[in-house]
Every structure is written in structure tokens, then in C-alpha cells.
Amino acid sequence: AQSVTQLGSHVSVSEGALVLLRCNYSSSVPPYLFWYVQYPNQGLQLLLKYTTGATLVKGINGFEAEFKKSETSFHLTKPSAHMSDAAEYFCAVSDPPNFGNEKLTFGTGTRLTIIP
Amino acid sequence: SAVISQKPSRDICQRGTSLTIQCQVDSQVTMMFWYRQQPGQSLTLIATANQGSEATYESGFVIDKFPISRPNLTFSTLTVSNLSPEDSSIYLCSVGGGPEPGELFFGEGSRLTVL
């Protein structure tokens, strides 16, 4: 069974500082990995994804994440935080097509607060 | 991309009653997904709704408690029946959005509070 662990339910960073949101997963096969963002009173939207190929993936709003198979991690980073980045971030995992379980399994989320 | 509208956006209900949530998509989609987002917890898939067939429920969710309708390719409803305070959650409708599984578009959610 798949699982996703997000370390830190709340993270606060100063505006302009590095953002690092941690995600570790467990999966029996090389997974597909996703980060979703949920702004206040809105639905989730896809931030970025890793399926195959380059392990460093770039998403919207300057975010990127690196798939590290040896560490079973997919941490989300942004070099310089902006006030508009304040939101809840969810890491999610699914099996690749034809591996039997393509449903998304979500982590518990990390609420990011930006300090002016 | 897909635009998803959910109604109601929020509601307060008495225990023992039921609430029906509507989900409207601006394009035809094969599968629609209903998720529950409990306070402080991750999103949990309730069921997958296919047009023209019964919904497929995940472990721990049953049709009697969460009946789903899918009358056409752009619309679905989720009913939460016999409400209890434990049903207080955000309920989210989603559809597939991209070439890969896991790429989903979500509605804004329906926040339910049960008194």
C-alpha cells in the first residue's frame, strides 16, 4: 500500500526566504508524485508532477521539486518566498499506469505561512 | 483544463438529516471523484462515479451513507445521509485533467458542519 508523509503540518518562513516542504513516500513501484496547492476557500490545484525522466521538476509560481529514489523523497522548494505563497500544500502519490492502483494517496498537508 | 462548480459552498445541518452536494463540470468527463477532507487530515477518496453505472466506493465508505448519482457526463451529486458531527468535513469533487493518472482538477469544496 502507498503512503505519504509530510513532515511539519505548519511551516513559517520570512518573505524572501527559502521555502522547503518535505514529503516522503512509500510505494512498491516507482511512483508518480504530485504536489497540489490549496489557497484559502479554493479547491486544490496541481503545482507540479513527476512521472518519468528528469528528477528535478519545475512547477507554477517558481516552485520545484526533486524526486530522490534513494531517499524516497519528493521535497518541494522555492528559492524566495512571496506573500502570495501562503496556502496549504499537499503531496500525493499514485502508481504508474498499469501497475494496478492509480488512485491518488494524499499526505496530511503542510500549511505555509509567510512572515512579512 | 476543467472548471468545476460545487453547490453549496457551505452548509450547517442538524444531525439525522441529509445534505446533497452538486458538482457541475464545464466539459464531458468519464470519471468524477468525490473526496472528503476532514479537519487536520489528508484528503480521502470516497468513491469514483462513472456515468451510467453505480459508483465504486473505497474501503470504509458505503452507498447507504454516501449515495451518488451520475446522470450525465457533466454532473454528479453526493448525498451525505443521516448526518452526525463526525461528518463535518469539506467534500470535494474532482475530475481527471491531464494525460497522466493523478492529474486532477478540483472544485472549491463544500464545507459541511453538523450540529
Side-chain angles (χ1 to χ4, degrees), chain A residues 32 34 36 38 41-46 49 51 88 90 94-97 102-109, chain B residues 10 35 37 40-45 48 56 58 90 92 99-109 111:
Chain A
Y32 283 10
F34 306 83
Y36 281 84
Q38 185 177 32
N41 300 314
Q42 295 186 28
L44 281 75
Q45 62 181 91
L46 182 64
K49 65 180 179 182
T51 55
E88 185 135 21
F90 292 90
S94 76
D95 281 345
E102 296 170 11
K103 300 183 182 75
L104 274 183
T105 299
F106 284 88
T108 52
Chain B
R10 60 179 63 232
Y35 283 85
Q37 185 179 10
Q41 299 187 30
S42 65
L43 282 77
T44 303
L45 181 63
T48 302
T56 302
E58 297 300 305
I90 299 173
L92 293 153
E100 308 289 357
E103 294 189 51
L104 301 178
F105 290 99
F106 284 83
E108 295 181 354
R111 182 181 294 272

Side-chain angles (χ1 to χ4, degrees), chain A residues 15-37:
Chain A
E15 190 175 15
L18 171 71
V19 175
L20 171 60
L21 304 183
R22 299 179 186 274
C23 173
N24 289 87
Y25 68 89
S26 69
S27 177
S28 58
V29 298
Y32 283 10
L33 295 159
F34 306 83
W35 277 98
Y36 281 84
V37 59

Side-chain angles (χ1 to χ4, degrees), chain A residues 38 41-44, chain B residues 6 9-10 21 34-39 42-44 46 78 87-93 107-113:
Chain A
Q38 185 177 32
N41 300 314
Q42 295 186 28
L44 281 75
Chain B
Q6 278 187 242
S9 59
R10 60 179 63 232
I21 302 166
W34 286 99
Y35 283 85
R36 182 174 69 183
Q37 185 179 10
Q38 293 180 298
S42 65
L43 282 77
T44 303
I46 298 171
L78 169 74
D87 295 320
S88 297
S89 292
I90 299 173
Y91 293 86
L92 293 153
C93 171
E108 295 181 354
S110 299
R111 182 181 294 272
L112 169 62
T113 302

